[in-house]
Amino acid sequence: MSETNELQREERPIEKAEPISAQAFKEGMANLAGAVNIVTTEVNGVRAGFTATAVCSVSDSPATLLVCLNRGSSVYETFKNAPNVAINTLASGQDALSNLFGGKAPMAERFETGNWSTQQTQSPVLTDAAVSFDCQVIHRQSIATHDVFFCEVVAIQTTDNSGALLYYQRGYLNVGSTL
């Protein structure tokens, strides 16, 4: 350790016998429980949304989240330049809504289910989500097959005692209260 208490390390590449296969990675990720979210936006009067578990807190100052989206996704063209998004973390019992937004249903049909409102950015906010984060997209980064959106939170809406919807081992887990 130096006087500034910084970690010193030797730079050297990690040697791997073989790269991790996509299938092995997917099997490993099946054991990582994740909150289920519906990420939404409205661009030029057109609403779009998708289901995601790849959502993570980045910082609390300023409040920032990240969300990952596959560039091959049917909603990618709408989201790639969207200035705002809402990240709606689903409550216990909202499995069907997750499936709707994660499937092939037309966009208009997706928003016919659930109660939707807006906050500051005008992105669709699910009124009975466990928590909704209304965000401005402040940075995008392309990594492998996905884009990572860094989103500064400008408003939050919560639902008390909503429980949580998790995805684990390729299935839903309802934790806590049900709607």
PDB file of all heavy atoms in Angstrom, residues 7-39:
ATOM      1  N   LEU A   7      -4.654   0.707  -3.519  1.00  0.00           N
ATOM      2  CA  LEU A   7      -4.276  -0.671  -3.755  1.00  0.00           C
ATOM      3  C   LEU A   7      -3.341  -0.723  -4.956  1.00  0.00           C
ATOM      4  O   LEU A   7      -3.673  -0.236  -6.026  1.00  0.00           O
ATOM      5  CB  LEU A   7      -5.527  -1.525  -4.014  1.00  0.00           C
ATOM      6  CG  LEU A   7      -5.308  -2.991  -4.306  1.00  0.00           C
ATOM      7  CD1 LEU A   7      -4.679  -3.657  -3.069  1.00  0.00           C
ATOM      8  CD2 LEU A   7      -6.624  -3.649  -4.627  1.00  0.00           C
ATOM      9  N   GLN A   8      -2.173  -1.289  -4.770  1.00  0.00           N
ATOM     10  CA  GLN A   8      -1.205  -1.456  -5.839  1.00  0.00           C
ATOM     11  C   GLN A   8      -1.311  -2.892  -6.341  1.00  0.00           C
ATOM     12  O   GLN A   8      -1.337  -3.823  -5.548  1.00  0.00           O
ATOM     13  CB  GLN A   8       0.221  -1.182  -5.338  1.00  0.00           C
ATOM     14  CG  GLN A   8       0.414   0.199  -4.760  1.00  0.00           C
ATOM     15  CD  GLN A   8       0.311   1.280  -5.808  1.00  0.00           C
ATOM     16  OE1 GLN A   8       0.796   1.117  -6.910  1.00  0.00           O
ATOM     17  NE2 GLN A   8      -0.329   2.380  -5.462  1.00  0.00           N
ATOM     18  N   ARG A   9      -1.341  -3.072  -7.659  1.00  0.00           N
ATOM     19  CA  ARG A   9      -1.367  -4.427  -8.186  1.00  0.00           C
ATOM     20  C   ARG A   9      -0.565  -4.494  -9.472  1.00  0.00           C
ATOM     21  O   ARG A   9      -0.440  -3.505 -10.187  1.00  0.00           O
ATOM     22  CB  ARG A   9      -2.779  -4.918  -8.410  1.00  0.00           C
ATOM     23  CG  ARG A   9      -3.515  -4.141  -9.467  1.00  0.00           C
ATOM     24  CD  ARG A   9      -4.926  -4.650  -9.601  1.00  0.00           C
ATOM     25  NE  ARG A   9      -5.554  -3.846 -10.643  1.00  0.00           N
ATOM     26  CZ  ARG A   9      -6.411  -4.310 -11.501  1.00  0.00           C
ATOM     27  NH1 ARG A   9      -6.772  -5.556 -11.452  1.00  0.00           N
ATOM     28  NH2 ARG A   9      -6.936  -3.529 -12.413  1.00  0.00           N
ATOM     29  N   GLU A  10      -0.103  -5.656  -9.730  1.00  0.00           N
ATOM     30  CA  GLU A  10       0.650  -5.899 -10.942  1.00  0.00           C
ATOM     31  C   GLU A  10      -0.340  -6.124 -12.076  1.00  0.00           C
ATOM     32  O   GLU A  10      -1.305  -6.883 -11.937  1.00  0.00           O
ATOM     33  CB  GLU A  10       1.517  -7.143 -10.751  1.00  0.00           C
ATOM     34  CG  GLU A  10       2.371  -7.470 -11.939  1.00  0.00           C
ATOM     35  CD  GLU A  10       3.162  -8.741 -11.710  1.00  0.00           C
ATOM     36  OE1 GLU A  10       3.484  -9.047 -10.548  1.00  0.00           O
ATOM     37  OE2 GLU A  10       3.437  -9.416 -12.697  1.00  0.00           O
ATOM     38  N   GLU A  11      -0.151  -5.426 -13.183  1.00  0.00           N
ATOM     39  CA  GLU A  11      -1.027  -5.590 -14.339  1.00  0.00           C
ATOM     40  C   GLU A  11      -0.586  -6.820 -15.114  1.00  0.00           C
ATOM     41  O   GLU A  11       0.541  -6.894 -15.598  1.00  0.00           O
ATOM     42  CB  GLU A  11      -0.970  -4.353 -15.239  1.00  0.00           C
ATOM     43  CG  GLU A  11      -1.523  -3.102 -14.605  1.00  0.00           C
ATOM     44  CD  GLU A  11      -3.006  -3.185 -14.295  1.00  0.00           C
ATOM     45  OE1 GLU A  11      -3.756  -3.823 -15.051  1.00  0.00           O
ATOM     46  OE2 GLU A  11      -3.410  -2.618 -13.270  1.00  0.00           O
ATOM     47  N   ARG A  12      -1.455  -7.807 -15.207  1.00  0.00           N
ATOM     48  CA  ARG A  12      -1.162  -8.993 -16.001  1.00  0.00           C
ATOM     49  C   ARG A  12      -2.479  -9.580 -16.486  1.00  0.00           C
ATOM     50  O   ARG A  12      -3.487  -9.559 -15.765  1.00  0.00           O
ATOM     51  CB  ARG A  12      -0.357 -10.004 -15.211  1.00  0.00           C
ATOM     52  CG  ARG A  12      -1.062 -10.491 -13.998  1.00  0.00           C
ATOM     53  CD  ARG A  12      -0.249 -11.470 -13.219  1.00  0.00           C
ATOM     54  NE  ARG A  12      -1.008 -11.683 -11.980  1.00  0.00           N
ATOM     55  CZ  ARG A  12      -0.573 -12.317 -10.948  1.00  0.00           C
ATOM     56  NH1 ARG A  12       0.620 -12.822 -10.968  1.00  0.00           N
ATOM     57  NH2 ARG A  12      -1.315 -12.467  -9.876  1.00  0.00           N
ATOM     58  N   PRO A  13      -2.471 -10.113 -17.683  1.00  0.00           N
ATOM     59  CA  PRO A  13      -3.710 -10.693 -18.212  1.00  0.00           C
ATOM     60  C   PRO A  13      -4.077 -11.973 -17.476  1.00  0.00           C
ATOM     61  O   PRO A  13      -3.209 -12.702 -16.998  1.00  0.00           O
ATOM     62  CB  PRO A  13      -3.383 -10.972 -19.678  1.00  0.00           C
ATOM     63  CG  PRO A  13      -1.898 -11.019 -19.744  1.00  0.00           C
ATOM     64  CD  PRO A  13      -1.389 -10.161 -18.623  1.00  0.00           C
ATOM     65  N   ILE A  14      -5.364 -12.218 -17.379  1.00  0.00           N
ATOM     66  CA  ILE A  14      -5.858 -13.453 -16.784  1.00  0.00           C
ATOM     67  C   ILE A  14      -5.793 -14.533 -17.852  1.00  0.00           C
ATOM     68  O   ILE A  14      -6.289 -14.354 -18.956  1.00  0.00           O
ATOM     69  CB  ILE A  14      -7.306 -13.286 -16.289  1.00  0.00           C
ATOM     70  CG1 ILE A  14      -7.363 -12.238 -15.194  1.00  0.00           C
ATOM     71  CG2 ILE A  14      -7.873 -14.616 -15.809  1.00  0.00           C
ATOM     72  CD1 ILE A  14      -8.775 -11.862 -14.783  1.00  0.00           C
ATOM     73  N   GLU A  15      -5.164 -15.635 -17.511  1.00  0.00           N
ATOM     74  CA  GLU A  15      -5.058 -16.734 -18.462  1.00  0.00           C
ATOM     75  C   GLU A  15      -6.235 -17.679 -18.257  1.00  0.00           C
ATOM     76  O   GLU A  15      -6.512 -18.124 -17.156  1.00  0.00           O
ATOM     77  CB  GLU A  15      -3.741 -17.474 -18.249  1.00  0.00           C
ATOM     78  CG  GLU A  15      -2.530 -16.617 -18.579  1.00  0.00           C
ATOM     79  CD  GLU A  15      -1.229 -17.365 -18.383  1.00  0.00           C
ATOM     80  OE1 GLU A  15      -1.216 -18.601 -18.526  1.00  0.00           O
ATOM     81  OE2 GLU A  15      -0.237 -16.684 -18.085  1.00  0.00           O
ATOM     82  N   LYS A  16      -6.932 -17.964 -19.360  1.00  0.00           N
ATOM     83  CA  LYS A  16      -8.061 -18.877 -19.330  1.00  0.00           C
ATOM     84  C   LYS A  16      -7.774 -20.048 -20.253  1.00  0.00           C
ATOM     85  O   LYS A  16      -7.243 -19.859 -21.345  1.00  0.00           O
ATOM     86  CB  LYS A  16      -9.341 -18.184 -19.804  1.00  0.00           C
ATOM     87  CG  LYS A  16      -9.814 -17.056 -18.928  1.00  0.00           C
ATOM     88  CD  LYS A  16     -11.155 -16.551 -19.369  1.00  0.00           C
ATOM     89  CE  LYS A  16     -11.006 -15.626 -20.567  1.00  0.00           C
ATOM     90  NZ  LYS A  16     -12.257 -15.002 -20.963  1.00  0.00           N
ATOM     91  N   ALA A  17      -8.130 -21.234 -19.833  1.00  0.00           N
ATOM     92  CA  ALA A  17      -7.946 -22.406 -20.674  1.00  0.00           C
ATOM     93  C   ALA A  17      -8.884 -22.331 -21.877  1.00  0.00           C
ATOM     94  O   ALA A  17      -8.481 -22.546 -23.000  1.00  0.00           O
ATOM     95  CB  ALA A  17      -8.191 -23.674 -19.874  1.00  0.00           C
ATOM     96  N   GLU A  18     -10.141 -22.013 -21.624  1.00  0.00           N
ATOM     97  CA  GLU A  18     -11.142 -21.890 -22.678  1.00  0.00           C
ATOM     98  C   GLU A  18     -12.092 -20.764 -22.300  1.00  0.00           C
ATOM     99  O   GLU A  18     -12.367 -20.560 -21.129  1.00  0.00           O
ATOM    100  CB  GLU A  18     -11.958 -23.181 -22.816  1.00  0.00           C
ATOM    101  CG  GLU A  18     -11.188 -24.369 -23.302  1.00  0.00           C
ATOM    102  CD  GLU A  18     -12.089 -25.597 -23.412  1.00  0.00           C
ATOM    103  OE1 GLU A  18     -13.294 -25.443 -23.658  1.00  0.00           O
ATOM    104  OE2 GLU A  18     -11.565 -26.693 -23.233  1.00  0.00           O
ATOM    105  N   PRO A  19     -12.620 -20.062 -23.305  1.00  0.00           N
ATOM    106  CA  PRO A  19     -13.618 -19.034 -22.970  1.00  0.00           C
ATOM    107  C   PRO A  19     -14.882 -19.683 -22.400  1.00  0.00           C
ATOM    108  O   PRO A  19     -15.208 -20.813 -22.730  1.00  0.00           O
ATOM    109  CB  PRO A  19     -13.913 -18.347 -24.303  1.00  0.00           C
ATOM    110  CG  PRO A  19     -13.089 -19.013 -25.330  1.00  0.00           C
ATOM    111  CD  PRO A  19     -12.327 -20.143 -24.706  1.00  0.00           C
ATOM    112  N   ILE A  20     -15.564 -18.967 -21.558  1.00  0.00           N
ATOM    113  CA  ILE A  20     -16.843 -19.436 -21.016  1.00  0.00           C
ATOM    114  C   ILE A  20     -17.855 -19.450 -22.156  1.00  0.00           C
ATOM    115  O   ILE A  20     -18.017 -18.455 -22.869  1.00  0.00           O
ATOM    116  CB  ILE A  20     -17.328 -18.498 -19.885  1.00  0.00           C
ATOM    117  CG1 ILE A  20     -16.319 -18.435 -18.744  1.00  0.00           C
ATOM    118  CG2 ILE A  20     -18.711 -18.894 -19.389  1.00  0.00           C
ATOM    119  CD1 ILE A  20     -16.108 -19.750 -18.040  1.00  0.00           C
ATOM    120  N   SER A  21     -18.567 -20.542 -22.309  1.00  0.00           N
ATOM    121  CA  SER A  21     -19.578 -20.620 -23.372  1.00  0.00           C
ATOM    122  C   SER A  21     -20.803 -19.810 -22.983  1.00  0.00           C
ATOM    123  O   SER A  21     -21.066 -19.588 -21.791  1.00  0.00           O
ATOM    124  CB  SER A  21     -19.985 -22.071 -23.629  1.00  0.00           C
ATOM    125  OG  SER A  21     -20.769 -22.558 -22.551  1.00  0.00           O
ATOM    126  N   ALA A  22     -21.547 -19.383 -23.989  1.00  0.00           N
ATOM    127  CA  ALA A  22     -22.786 -18.644 -23.731  1.00  0.00           C
ATOM    128  C   ALA A  22     -23.738 -19.489 -22.899  1.00  0.00           C
ATOM    129  O   ALA A  22     -24.397 -18.981 -21.989  1.00  0.00           O
ATOM    130  CB  ALA A  22     -23.439 -18.224 -25.047  1.00  0.00           C
ATOM    131  N   GLN A  23     -23.811 -20.787 -23.190  1.00  0.00           N
ATOM    132  CA  GLN A  23     -24.713 -21.670 -22.450  1.00  0.00           C
ATOM    133  C   GLN A  23     -24.297 -21.790 -20.985  1.00  0.00           C
ATOM    134  O   GLN A  23     -25.139 -21.738 -20.093  1.00  0.00           O
ATOM    135  CB  GLN A  23     -24.782 -23.054 -23.096  1.00  0.00           C
ATOM    136  CG  GLN A  23     -25.808 -23.959 -22.461  1.00  0.00           C
ATOM    137  CD  GLN A  23     -27.224 -23.391 -22.513  1.00  0.00           C
ATOM    138  OE1 GLN A  23     -27.634 -22.759 -23.481  1.00  0.00           O
ATOM    139  NE2 GLN A  23     -27.976 -23.598 -21.440  1.00  0.00           N
ATOM    140  N   ALA A  24     -22.996 -21.924 -20.730  1.00  0.00           N
ATOM    141  CA  ALA A  24     -22.523 -22.014 -19.340  1.00  0.00           C
ATOM    142  C   ALA A  24     -22.841 -20.728 -18.585  1.00  0.00           C
ATOM    143  O   ALA A  24     -23.239 -20.767 -17.419  1.00  0.00           O
ATOM    144  CB  ALA A  24     -21.024 -22.301 -19.304  1.00  0.00           C
ATOM    145  N   PHE A  25     -22.662 -19.596 -19.261  1.00  0.00           N
ATOM    146  CA  PHE A  25     -22.973 -18.316 -18.629  1.00  0.00           C
ATOM    147  C   PHE A  25     -24.464 -18.232 -18.306  1.00  0.00           C
ATOM    148  O   PHE A  25     -24.852 -17.824 -17.210  1.00  0.00           O
ATOM    149  CB  PHE A  25     -22.540 -17.157 -19.530  1.00  0.00           C
ATOM    150  CG  PHE A  25     -22.766 -15.812 -18.926  1.00  0.00           C
ATOM    151  CD1 PHE A  25     -21.978 -15.367 -17.870  1.00  0.00           C
ATOM    152  CD2 PHE A  25     -23.764 -14.975 -19.390  1.00  0.00           C
ATOM    153  CE1 PHE A  25     -22.180 -14.126 -17.299  1.00  0.00           C
ATOM    154  CE2 PHE A  25     -23.972 -13.728 -18.825  1.00  0.00           C
ATOM    155  CZ  PHE A  25     -23.182 -13.304 -17.779  1.00  0.00           C
ATOM    156  N   LYS A  26     -25.323 -18.627 -19.256  1.00  0.00           N
ATOM    157  CA  LYS A  26     -26.774 -18.596 -19.025  1.00  0.00           C
ATOM    158  C   LYS A  26     -27.164 -19.500 -17.862  1.00  0.00           C
ATOM    159  O   LYS A  26     -28.033 -19.148 -17.064  1.00  0.00           O
ATOM    160  CB  LYS A  26     -27.516 -19.004 -20.298  1.00  0.00           C
ATOM    161  CG  LYS A  26     -27.442 -17.959 -21.383  1.00  0.00           C
ATOM    162  CD  LYS A  26     -28.107 -18.441 -22.663  1.00  0.00           C
ATOM    163  CE  LYS A  26     -27.939 -17.425 -23.761  1.00  0.00           C
ATOM    164  NZ  LYS A  26     -28.510 -17.893 -25.032  1.00  0.00           N
ATOM    165  N   GLU A  27     -26.523 -20.670 -17.771  1.00  0.00           N
ATOM    166  CA  GLU A  27     -26.809 -21.579 -16.654  1.00  0.00           C
ATOM    167  C   GLU A  27     -26.430 -20.928 -15.329  1.00  0.00           C
ATOM    168  O   GLU A  27     -27.149 -21.020 -14.343  1.00  0.00           O
ATOM    169  CB  GLU A  27     -26.077 -22.907 -16.838  1.00  0.00           C
ATOM    170  CG  GLU A  27     -26.604 -23.772 -17.964  1.00  0.00           C
ATOM    171  CD  GLU A  27     -28.052 -24.172 -17.788  1.00  0.00           C
ATOM    172  OE1 GLU A  27     -28.472 -24.493 -16.653  1.00  0.00           O
ATOM    173  OE2 GLU A  27     -28.783 -24.152 -18.796  1.00  0.00           O
ATOM    174  N   GLY A  28     -25.274 -20.278 -15.296  1.00  0.00           N
ATOM    175  CA  GLY A  28     -24.865 -19.581 -14.083  1.00  0.00           C
ATOM    176  C   GLY A  28     -25.814 -18.457 -13.724  1.00  0.00           C
ATOM    177  O   GLY A  28     -26.203 -18.286 -12.560  1.00  0.00           O
ATOM    178  N   MET A  29     -26.221 -17.674 -14.721  1.00  0.00           N
ATOM    179  CA  MET A  29     -27.117 -16.535 -14.484  1.00  0.00           C
ATOM    180  C   MET A  29     -28.499 -16.982 -14.012  1.00  0.00           C
ATOM    181  O   MET A  29     -29.183 -16.228 -13.326  1.00  0.00           O
ATOM    182  CB  MET A  29     -27.235 -15.672 -15.737  1.00  0.00           C
ATOM    183  CG  MET A  29     -25.964 -14.905 -16.071  1.00  0.00           C
ATOM    184  SD  MET A  29     -25.384 -13.831 -14.733  1.00  0.00           S
ATOM    185  CE  MET A  29     -26.709 -12.631 -14.662  1.00  0.00           C
ATOM    186  N   ALA A  30     -28.903 -18.206 -14.365  1.00  0.00           N
ATOM    187  CA  ALA A  30     -30.200 -18.713 -13.901  1.00  0.00           C
ATOM    188  C   ALA A  30     -30.236 -18.797 -12.378  1.00  0.00           C
ATOM    189  O   ALA A  30     -31.308 -18.790 -11.775  1.00  0.00           O
ATOM    190  CB  ALA A  30     -30.489 -20.086 -14.511  1.00  0.00           C
ATOM    191  N   ASN A  31     -29.082 -18.855 -11.756  1.00  0.00           N
ATOM    192  CA  ASN A  31     -29.003 -18.933 -10.294  1.00  0.00           C
ATOM    193  C   ASN A  31     -28.806 -17.575  -9.633  1.00  0.00           C
ATOM    194  O   ASN A  31     -28.554 -17.513  -8.432  1.00  0.00           O
ATOM    195  CB  ASN A  31     -27.886 -19.896  -9.896  1.00  0.00           C
ATOM    196  CG  ASN A  31     -28.271 -21.309 -10.219  1.00  0.00           C
ATOM    197  OD1 ASN A  31     -29.228 -21.835  -9.663  1.00  0.00           O
ATOM    198  ND2 ASN A  31     -27.563 -21.928 -11.148  1.00  0.00           N
ATOM    199  N   LEU A  32     -28.886 -16.527 -10.402  1.00  0.00           N
ATOM    200  CA  LEU A  32     -28.798 -15.172  -9.870  1.00  0.00           C
ATOM    201  C   LEU A  32     -30.203 -14.573  -9.872  1.00  0.00           C
ATOM    202  O   LEU A  32     -30.749 -14.247 -10.921  1.00  0.00           O
ATOM    203  CB  LEU A  32     -27.860 -14.313 -10.733  1.00  0.00           C
ATOM    204  CG  LEU A  32     -27.730 -12.846 -10.349  1.00  0.00           C
ATOM    205  CD1 LEU A  32     -27.069 -12.705  -8.980  1.00  0.00           C
ATOM    206  CD2 LEU A  32     -26.929 -12.104 -11.398  1.00  0.00           C
ATOM    207  N   ALA A  33     -30.809 -14.487  -8.709  1.00  0.00           N
ATOM    208  CA  ALA A  33     -32.164 -13.929  -8.610  1.00  0.00           C
ATOM    209  C   ALA A  33     -32.135 -12.451  -8.961  1.00  0.00           C
ATOM    210  O   ALA A  33     -31.201 -11.733  -8.580  1.00  0.00           O
ATOM    211  CB  ALA A  33     -32.716 -14.112  -7.205  1.00  0.00           C
ATOM    212  N   GLY A  34     -33.135 -11.996  -9.687  1.00  0.00           N
ATOM    213  CA  GLY A  34     -33.198 -10.588 -10.049  1.00  0.00           C
ATOM    214  C   GLY A  34     -34.608 -10.053  -9.959  1.00  0.00           C
ATOM    215  O   GLY A  34     -35.580 -10.772 -10.236  1.00  0.00           O
ATOM    216  N   ALA A  35     -34.714  -8.788  -9.574  1.00  0.00           N
ATOM    217  CA  ALA A  35     -36.011  -8.112  -9.582  1.00  0.00           C
ATOM    218  C   ALA A  35     -36.473  -7.984 -11.023  1.00  0.00           C
ATOM    219  O   ALA A  35     -35.679  -7.762 -11.939  1.00  0.00           O
ATOM    220  CB  ALA A  35     -35.893  -6.744  -8.936  1.00  0.00           C
ATOM    221  N   VAL A  36     -37.769  -8.124 -11.240  1.00  0.00           N
ATOM    222  CA  VAL A  36     -38.342  -8.015 -12.579  1.00  0.00           C
ATOM    223  C   VAL A  36     -38.847  -6.586 -12.765  1.00  0.00           C
ATOM    224  O   VAL A  36     -39.573  -6.048 -11.923  1.00  0.00           O
ATOM    225  CB  VAL A  36     -39.491  -9.022 -12.778  1.00  0.00           C
ATOM    226  CG1 VAL A  36     -40.074  -8.909 -14.182  1.00  0.00           C
ATOM    227  CG2 VAL A  36     -38.999 -10.451 -12.509  1.00  0.00           C
ATOM    228  N   ASN A  37     -38.447  -5.989 -13.880  1.00  0.00           N
ATOM    229  CA  ASN A  37     -38.778  -4.594 -14.187  1.00  0.00           C
ATOM    230  C   ASN A  37     -39.407  -4.482 -15.559  1.00  0.00           C
ATOM    231  O   ASN A  37     -39.068  -5.260 -16.457  1.00  0.00           O
ATOM    232  CB  ASN A  37     -37.497  -3.744 -14.204  1.00  0.00           C
ATOM    233  CG  ASN A  37     -36.732  -3.833 -12.919  1.00  0.00           C
ATOM    234  OD1 ASN A  37     -36.981  -3.091 -11.989  1.00  0.00           O
ATOM    235  ND2 ASN A  37     -35.788  -4.768 -12.849  1.00  0.00           N
ATOM    236  N   ILE A  38     -40.271  -3.517 -15.714  1.00  0.00           N
ATOM    237  CA  ILE A  38     -40.728  -3.125 -17.043  1.00  0.00           C
ATOM    238  C   ILE A  38     -40.166  -1.734 -17.284  1.00  0.00           C
ATOM    239  O   ILE A  38     -40.440  -0.795 -16.528  1.00  0.00           O
ATOM    240  CB  ILE A  38     -42.265  -3.141 -17.164  1.00  0.00           C
ATOM    241  CG1 ILE A  38     -42.780  -4.570 -17.026  1.00  0.00           C
ATOM    242  CG2 ILE A  38     -42.692  -2.531 -18.505  1.00  0.00           C
ATOM    243  CD1 ILE A  38     -44.291  -4.691 -17.054  1.00  0.00           C
ATOM    244  N   VAL A  39     -39.347  -1.635 -18.328  1.00  0.00           N
ATOM    245  CA  VAL A  39     -38.717  -0.372 -18.695  1.00  0.00           C
ATOM    246  C   VAL A  39     -39.537   0.228 -19.832  1.00  0.00           C
ATOM    247  O   VAL A  39     -39.823  -0.451 -20.819  1.00  0.00           O
ATOM    248  CB  VAL A  39     -37.250  -0.588 -19.125  1.00  0.00           C
ATOM    249  CG1 VAL A  39     -36.584   0.737 -19.455  1.00  0.00           C
ATOM    250  CG2 VAL A  39     -36.478  -1.329 -18.035  1.00  0.00           C
TER     251      VAL A  39
END
